[in-house]
Amino acid sequence: MRLFIALNLPKKERSRIDRAARLLRERELPVRWAEVDDFHLTLKFLGDVRPPRRDPVEHVMEKVAAETGPFEVTMHGFGAFPTIRRPRVIWIGAVATPELRCLKQDIEWGLAEHGFERETRAFHPHVTLGRAEEDGGAGAFRGLDDVVAGIDLKATFTVRSLDLMRSRVTRTGSRYTVERSIKLTGPR
């Protein structure tokens, strides 16, 4: 099954982000927008994980959660990968605090000990709001940079758990379910 480790946002913050992103959705861009209940911040995409490899994943998550206390994450700034003029992903960013970076690094190193490849790209924490459709056409995103610059939102929430998520790909997009949630119990 396709698994990843994520931080799920509280319902209140997901709703605030969704309201702020309404300006983007109203532009009728060639984008498949994520459902508000699916907003999450991915820490590590694992891909297809067979049952015997799931136990080490959960063990690493338990160890990291026991060493990490709850901490604040601030969501701020809309953008796109790879560029705002030719996006594949439209997102809202998260401030890469030392706590968030350490959590990501601890997961990467812990899973590397069990044969999972470490991510070598720079960590750009974000919540995906939508994915551009392949046939958007030239100029489909003209002016998007002005729109995102005009959206002012700062949403802060407390991270209290790590979630092991399952991803199912459907014709209408990915669907996510929490397979296991592990509370952060380490010192603050």
Side-chain angles (χ1 to χ4, degrees):
M1 73 181 78
R2 287 170 48 96
L3 297 175
F4 62 95
I5 299 170
L7 304 177
N8 280 296
L9 283 64
K11 184 176 183 174
K12 176 181 161 187
E13 299 311 323
R14 289 191 317 256
S15 295
R16 289 184 67 215
I17 292 167
D18 188 54
R19 282 191 305 274
R22 188 175 300 138
L23 286 171
L24 297 170
R25 291 191 308 276
E26 289 172 351
R27 291 191 50 98
E28 297 183 20
L29 299 167
V31 172
R32 187 175 62 239
W33 297 105
E35 298 291 327
V36 67
D37 290 337
D38 290 337
F39 289 174
H40 64 271
L41 193 156
T42 300
L43 293 172
K44 176 73 174 169
F45 180 73
L46 302 167
D48 287 320
V49 177
R50 303 256 183 247
R53 291 195 76 199
R54 182 172 163 166
D55 287 342
V57 170
E58 291 187 41
H59 175 73
V60 167
M61 290 175 65
E62 289 166 355
K63 184 176 186 296
V64 170
E67 297 169 352
T68 306
F71 63 94
E72 301 287 313
V73 168
T74 299
M75 306 300 299
H76 180 66
F78 290 80
F81 295 133
T83 70
I84 198 77
R85 293 182 188 260
R86 298 289 265 170
R88 282 194 304 261
V89 174
I90 297 174
W91 47 260
I92 180 170
V95 177
T97 61
E99 295 89 352
L100 185 55
R101 286 184 181 280
C102 286
L103 179 62
K104 164 74 170 160
Q105 184 177 10
D106 290 348
I107 290 169
E108 287 288 348
W109 284 99
L111 290 172
E113 293 175 10
H114 296 281
F116 288 90
E117 192 172 323
R118 278 198 331 236
E119 180 63 62
T120 57
R121 293 178 295 183
F123 181 45
H124 296 286
H126 66 278
V127 172
T128 297
L129 302 175
R131 296 188 179 280
E133 296 171 1
E134 295 283 330
D135 58 352
F141 296 95
R142 186 173 290 124
L144 182 59
D145 46 352
D146 292 332
V147 175
V148 298
I151 301 173
D152 187 31
L153 171 74
K154 198 171 197 177
T156 300
F157 66 97
T158 301
V159 175
R160 299 183 191 284
S161 64
L162 281 176
D163 295 323
L164 181 61
M165 305 289 293
R166 182 175 183 182
S167 172
R168 291 184 185 93
V169 179
T170 69
R171 285 182 300 202
T172 58
S174 296
R175 297 291 168 247
Y176 308 114
T177 53
V178 176
E179 290 286 308
R180 180 152 182 224
S181 187
I182 302 171
K183 288 188 183 280
L184 302 182
T185 58
R188 276 200 131 188

